[in-house]
Amino acid sequence: REAIDRHAGVETRVQVVGHSFGTFVAAWFNHSFPQRVQQILLFDPVSILVADNMVYQNFVFARGVQEAVTSSSRFATFLMASTEAYMQYYLRRKFFWYNNEIYLDDIDQQAKALVFLSMKDEILDAHRVAQEVDRFTIEQQGKGPEVAKFCWADSKHGDFVMDRHSWKGIRKAIEAQKMTFVKTYEAKKER
């Protein structure tokens, strides 16, 4: 927050982005400084429904080495994250799972959220997360933050990173929400 204050000003609301484990950092920032978040982008968000023990089991135990080695990127993730000694120690001893879950109603009402899901995700249950986003959207009906969901039907965890077509869709979604910020700002300015 200090860096944001110094470089952008103390009143500036920011865009917070997280992928996978990085969504815990996004959740932490949102919990700590909700009034500073303008938009939160969550890609393959393990921080939504993290209390579901499936997330932990799928990450730490990687559903077995055979599934993890189906591609070079999966194998690299398995070796560098799931089996790395410090990561194992941190997740088992130092990580407070209950403090790092993000509930969509924790997001400031003036903020907007984009949730991107790889529907063939090996770590989180993307279908359950999608249902949670849908439930929240229906329940809130304009009373809470605007949350939009985007699903990649044939993607696995993190596949979007190397897919230029996915990035075009991401940019389009961000720009669409950006236009609502501009309209809101102009309406406030006219008053």
Side-chain angles (χ1 to χ4, degrees), residues 8 34 36 47 95 116 148-149 151 157 172 175 183:
R36 298 299 301 273
S47 60
F95 187 77
F116 296 90
K149 171 190 75 185
C151 300
H157 193 86
K172 187 175 178 181
E175 290 298 319
K183 288 177 186 174

Side-chain angles (χ1 to χ4, degrees), residues 37-48:
V37 177
Q38 179 176 14
Q39 184 181 41
I40 187 166
L41 286 79
L42 303 170
F43 294 90
D44 299 328
V46 295
S47 60
I48 297 177

Side-chain angles (χ1 to χ4, degrees), residues 32-100:
S32 301
F33 312 104
Q35 72 286 355
R36 298 299 301 273
V37 177
Q38 179 176 14
Q39 184 181 41
I40 187 166
L41 286 79
L42 303 170
F43 294 90
D44 299 328
V46 295
S47 60
I48 297 177
L49 300 179
V50 72
D52 179 358
N53 66 353
M54 204 170 142
V55 171
Y56 177 74
Q57 289 175 345
N58 291 344
F59 180 74
V60 173
F61 301 111
R63 289 193 191 166
V65 176
Q66 287 184 337
E67 258 187 63
V69 297
T70 57
S71 74
S72 58
S73 65
R74 303 261 175 274
F75 188 62
T77 300
F78 177 73
L79 286 179
M80 294 169 57
S82 298
T83 62
E84 196 269 324
Y86 183 77
M87 183 65 80
Q88 290 283 330
Y89 172 75
Y90 180 76
L91 289 174
R92 292 176 187 216
R93 302 281 184 239
K94 302 287 186 187
F95 187 77
F96 298 104
W97 293 87
Y98 56 87
N99 283 340
N100 292 289

Side-chain angles (χ1 to χ4, degrees), residues 71-176:
S71 74
S72 58
S73 65
R74 303 261 175 274
F75 188 62
T77 300
F78 177 73
L79 286 179
M80 294 169 57
S82 298
T83 62
E84 196 269 324
Y86 183 77
M87 183 65 80
Q88 290 283 330
Y89 172 75
Y90 180 76
L91 289 174
R92 292 176 187 216
R93 302 281 184 239
K94 302 287 186 187
F95 187 77
F96 298 104
W97 293 87
Y98 56 87
N99 283 340
N100 292 289
E101 184 161 17
I102 189 166
Y103 297 96
L104 297 172
D105 53 2
D106 290 341
I107 300 169
D108 188 78
Q109 284 190 319
Q110 295 177 17
K112 299 185 185 309
L114 297 173
V115 178
F116 296 90
L117 299 166
S118 300
M119 299 310 286
K120 292 186 178 178
D121 199 308
E122 311 91 332
I123 296 173
L124 64 100
D125 186 342
H127 295 279
R128 285 190 56 205
V129 173
Q131 289 172 347
E132 174 61 17
V133 173
D134 291 341
R135 182 204 60 76
F136 176 80
T137 304
I138 291 167
E139 224 175 69
Q140 292 301 308
Q141 293 192 0
K143 293 180 275 182
E146 178 186 317
V147 178
K149 171 190 75 185
F150 299 87
C151 300
W152 295 302
D154 295 322
S155 292
K156 293 183 178 181
H157 193 86
D159 280 353
F160 74 92
V161 173
M162 301 302 283
D163 180 30
R164 69 183 184 97
H165 298 293
S166 295
W167 282 105
K168 286 181 180 181
I170 293 166
R171 186 176 65 229
K172 187 175 178 181
I174 293 169
E175 290 298 319

Side-chain angles (χ1 to χ4, degrees), residues 180-190:
T180 64
F181 290 123
V182 171
K183 288 177 186 174
T184 302
Y185 174 76
E186 288 174 353
K188 285 180 181 178
K189 204 165 99 175
E190 288 176 5

